[in-house]
């Protein structure tokens, strides 16, 4: 997959400057015109796998605003592979913008009840999908499998090719933890990774991350931490404080953030830095994992919130 070299934008926050800490953002959200974000990395080796095995269909799972479903449909169109999205919940009268895009990119959408959706990793359910689509590669929700973890190692190669050794800490948002697992497996010794859970009660992610690292065969790393304090009420929940943070980052630094993942993680990173978690002189890199398309769901869900970022509507 040809990707442009992502920009690394410096964010000169006065509160960090006085602590001798620098912050820069690796902009995976604007990698290329067609696809962006960490989901591109998670899909890369899954697509290679399907092509090697001459499988003509990719099947995966997600909600109505899923960045993964959005990316999968785009990738399928780009590579000429059929895509099937198993979508949580009954078919709505009006499709979300995310699902409209997915459909426009040729994805076949199947809506399943929430209780059926919960069976998505059960062998019987997977077998029933295989019966219907014998030539399919089935990818778990979020693109989070061993191939997805391995694909995320490329994020570090891109970072190193641009910065060499000139950073100390990499921070990113965690949903399943697969991206963190890949990044922390690939990072050079001496550097650290800090993940921010966007889920409430995200402690369980620590075990998932170790499991992902084992499944991807690199063994468990000890170079990362998970911070579970910045979920803002839970997955896809927002607060006025979070929204005003997003508006400030965009207004002052032209940095668009998504409300589900990157806004929470960057907020948490800055708070940690301001509280003295990182030593003086630390060079922090925040990985912008994308997801801006999902902001369109918030405009529908919270009409009272004024989003000022034009990127929110992309
Ligand atoms: C999916 C996603 C994540 C979380 O990735 P995991 O590998 O599941 O932890 C982070 N940021 C964005 C924008 C995402 O879409």
């Amino acid at each position: 997959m040809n990707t442009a070299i992502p920009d690394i934008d410096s964010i000169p926050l006065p509160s960090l400057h006085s602590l001798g800490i620098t912050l820069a953002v690796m902009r995976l959200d604007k990698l290329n015109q067609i696809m962006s974000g960490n989901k591109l990395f998670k899909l890369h080796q899954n697509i290679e796998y399907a092509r090697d095995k001459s499988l003509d269909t990719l099947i995966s799972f997600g909600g109505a605003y899923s960045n993964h479903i959005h990316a999968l449909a785009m990738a399928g169109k780009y590579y000429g592979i059929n895509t099937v999205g198993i979508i949580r919940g009954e078919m709505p009268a009006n499709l979300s913008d995310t699902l409209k895009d997915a459909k426009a990119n040729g994805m076949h959408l199947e809506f399943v009840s929430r209780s059926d959706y919960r069976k998505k990793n059960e062998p019987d359910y997977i077998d029933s999908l295989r019966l219907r689509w014998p030539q399919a590669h089935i990818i778990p929700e979020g693109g989070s499998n061993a191939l997805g973890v391995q694909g995320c190692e490329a994020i570090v190669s891109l970072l190193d090719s641009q910065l060499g050794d000139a950073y100390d800490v990499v921070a990113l948002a965690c949903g399943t933890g697969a991206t963190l697992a890949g990044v922390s497996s690939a990072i050079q010794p001496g550097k650290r990774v800090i993940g921010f859970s966007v889920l409430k009660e995200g402690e369980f992610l620590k075990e998932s991350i170790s499991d992902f690292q084992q499944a991807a065969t690199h063994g468990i790393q000890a170079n990362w931490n998970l911070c579970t304090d910045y979920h803002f009420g839970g997955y896809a929940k927002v607060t006025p404080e979070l929204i005003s943070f997003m508006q400030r980052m965009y207004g002052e630094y032209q940095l668009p953030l998504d409300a589900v993942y990157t806004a929470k993680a960057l907020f948490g990173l800055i708070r940690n830095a301001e509280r003295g978690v990182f030593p003086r002189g630390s060079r922090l890199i925040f990985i912008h994992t994308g997801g801006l398309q999902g902001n369109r769901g918030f405009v529908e869900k919270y009409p009272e919130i004024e989003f000022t970022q034009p990127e929110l509507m992309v």
Side-chain angles (χ1 to χ4, degrees), residues 172-174 195-200 227 229-239 242-243 245-246 257-272 286 298 302:
L172 75 169
C174 293
F196 293 87
S197 169
V198 302
L199 313 174
K200 199 149 107 185
C227 177
D229 299 336
Y230 296 94
H231 55 73
F232 289 84
Y235 185 75
K237 299 276 194 301
V238 297
T239 65
L242 187 71
I243 297 297
F245 172 72
M246 289 168 70
L257 296 167
D258 85 293
V260 178
Y261 295 98
T262 53
K264 294 180 181 183
L266 184 60
F267 185 104
L269 177 66
I270 292 171
R271 232 351 121 73
N272 271 274
F286 179 71
F298 284 88
Y302 300 94

Side-chain angles (χ1 to χ4, degrees), residues 25-26 51 55 88 131 157 168 226 249 265 283 306:
V25 179
M26 185 191 204
R51 293 171 117 195
L55 301 172
R88 184 182 58 232
L131 276 177
S157 316
D168 304 296
L226 183 77
M249 286 296 125
R283 297 160 297 181
E306 247 185 73

Side-chain angles (χ1 to χ4, degrees), residues 100-150:
K100 275 185 202 148
D101 288 350
K103 213 173 157 182
N105 283 318
M107 180 177 265
H108 170 74
L109 301 175
E110 290 252 326
F111 292 86
V112 299
S113 69
R114 280 162 198 271
S115 58
D116 280 350
Y117 189 84
R118 265 181 240 120
K119 298 183 193 145
K120 63 188 179 299
N121 297 325
E122 290 177 12
D124 284 356
Y125 185 68
I126 297 287
D127 284 348
S128 73
L129 293 177
R130 282 197 208 293
L131 276 177
R132 288 178 65 193
W133 289 282
Q135 292 299 312
H137 174 44
I138 302 174
I139 304 172
E141 187 181 52
S144 298
N145 56 10
L147 293 170
V149 172
Q150 286 164 9

Side-chain angles (χ1 to χ4, degrees), residues 41 148-158 179 181-183 185-186 216 218:
F41 292 86
V149 172
Q150 286 164 9
C152 289
E153 294 174 13
I155 295 172
V156 178
S157 316
L158 280 175
T179 304
V183 167
S185 293
H218 290 289

Side-chain angles (χ1 to χ4, degrees), residues 38-39 42 67 142 144 173-180 258 261-262 289-291:
N38 65 333
K39 297 304 185 288
K42 295 171 92 173
N67 296 326
S144 298
C174 293
T176 63
T179 304
L180 186 149
D258 85 293
Y261 295 98
T262 53
T289 40

Side-chain angles (χ1 to χ4, degrees), residues 46-59:
N46 278 293
I47 291 167
E48 298 273 294
Y49 173 91
R51 293 171 117 195
D52 281 355
K53 300 253 179 256
S54 303
L55 301 172
D56 62 11
T57 303
L58 299 169
I59 303 180

